[in-house]
Coordinates of all heavy atoms in Angstrom, one line a residue:
C11 N 15.8 17.4 -9.3 CA 17.1 16.7 -9.5 C 18.1 17.2 -8.5 O 18.9 16.4 -8.0 CB 17.6 17.0 -10.9 SG 16.6 16.1 -12.2
S173 N 0.6 -14.9 -6.2 CA 1.7 -15.7 -5.8 C 1.6 -17.1 -6.4 O 2.6 -17.8 -6.7 CB 1.7 -15.8 -4.3 OG 2.0 -14.6 -3.7
G249 N -0.4 14.9 -8.1 CA -1.1 14.9 -6.9 C -2.0 16.2 -6.8 O -3.1 16.1 -6.3
A280 N 12.8 7.3 0.7 CA 13.2 6.6 1.9 C 14.6 6.2 1.9 O 15.3 6.3 3.0 CB 12.3 5.3 2.0
L338 N -3.1 7.8 14.4 CA -1.7 7.6 14.9 C -1.8 7.0 16.3 O -1.1 6.0 16.7 CB -0.9 8.9 15.0 CG -0.7 9.5 13.6 CD1 0.1 10.8 13.8 CD2 0.2 8.6 12.7

Side-chain angles (χ1 to χ4, degrees):
C11 288
S173 295
L338 298 176

